[in-house]
Amino acid sequence: MPLIQCNGADLYYEDHGEGQPIVFLHGATAGLRYFEPQLMGLSNEYRTIAVDFRGHGRSEKSELGHTLGQYTRDVQTVLEELDLDRIVLVGWSMGALISWEYIHQFGTDRLRAIVDIDMEPSPVKRGDYEYGTYGTEDLEGAIDAIQQDPIGLLDEEAEALLKDPPTRELRNLILDEGSRTPPPIQGALLFGLSFIRDYRELLRSVDIPALVCAGADEKWRSVASVKYAAELIPDARFELFEGSGHCITVEEPDRFNRVLSDFIESL
């Protein structure tokens, strides 16, 4: 099993194909399996790479380091270990936040472009911000549910994450990947949202091209809030996926692969 030692934790990763490197960053309590249609479907044209963050998927369930800042430093270690450059960095949900945090910490020297899959500039409600998925009460309720009934919460998420009722395959993916992240780690990540950076100003300063994708039937945040990210980035393209909720890469994998490939070929 391929592992990279990153700042005190062994991280599982997959690396397929050759050519232009695309690095996929998954969402919270998810894993790189959400990118299987991309890792294999695009590997004939590109080098496709994905990593399970610490505490997720097949990576080590370390006691420490469960912040966006540390996950970002882990990503930098992976890029260095694999000697990657001119990367297209694709972040889904929390993974998009980590791609922005990467630019905040390390700049864009290693990057050729970024892709935001269904994330707004700040998932936290703010006084001067008309969007935002979570308020204090929302975070408290989610942390309480994680501690009392984590499997029941995952089952609810299986319905909320997708546009259509989940197939058995997708339900199993959501439950299996979600249950690989221990509840204390899930709670730490949610608690960390209370202090998350507001990325509006950073997005205004992004100096590389971007693709922003939104699921039309997203149940957690509005299409307008995701589109707002594209409006902030100087050189951004927006794409709406009518057949998707939050999980575009597995709900419309063929179309997503075409859109991503077209974007890369336009760079």
Side-chain angles (χ1 to χ4, degrees), residues 33-37 92 154-155 157-159 161-178 243-245 247-253:
R33 287 174 60 198
Y34 281 82
F35 297 119
E36 282 185 356
W92 165 55
L154 284 172
D155 205 40
E157 289 180 355
E159 299 288 341
L161 285 169
L162 308 170
K163 176 180 179 179
D164 298 320
T167 63
R168 182 174 181 177
E169 180 182 13
L170 285 181
R171 180 181 291 277
N172 286 344
L173 172 66
I174 292 168
L175 294 179
D176 185 43
E177 288 300 283
S244 293
C247 301
I248 295 169
T249 59
V250 293
E251 291 182 271
E252 295 184 78

Side-chain angles (χ1 to χ4, degrees), residues 124-236:
V124 178
K125 295 175 182 176
R126 302 176 186 274
D128 63 342
Y129 180 61
E130 62 179 299
Y131 305 114
T133 303
Y134 300 104
T136 302
E137 291 184 359
D138 302 309
L139 291 171
E140 288 176 354
I143 291 172
D144 188 62
I146 287 168
Q147 291 299 318
Q148 295 199 34
D149 186 13
I151 299 302
L153 181 61
L154 284 172
D155 205 40
E156 291 178 12
E157 289 180 355
E159 299 288 341
L161 285 169
L162 308 170
K163 176 180 179 179
D164 298 320
T167 63
R168 182 174 181 177
E169 180 182 13
L170 285 181
R171 180 181 291 277
N172 286 344
L173 172 66
I174 292 168
L175 294 179
D176 185 43
E177 288 300 283
S179 62
R180 289 174 182 262
T181 302
I185 294 175
Q186 297 182 36
L189 288 172
L190 271 177
F191 180 74
L193 283 179
S194 303
F195 311 100
I196 197 170
R197 196 183 312 281
D198 180 349
Y199 288 99
R200 282 178 287 178
E201 284 305 312
L202 181 136
L203 293 181
R204 290 188 177 100
S205 69
V206 170
D207 58 359
I208 54 176
L211 170 66
V212 178
C213 303
D217 199 47
E218 162 66 74
K219 298 178 179 67
W220 288 355
R221 57 185 57 93
S222 67
V223 170
S225 69
V226 179
K227 190 173 184 180
Y228 181 46
E231 293 168 355
L232 292 173
I233 299 171
D235 183 9

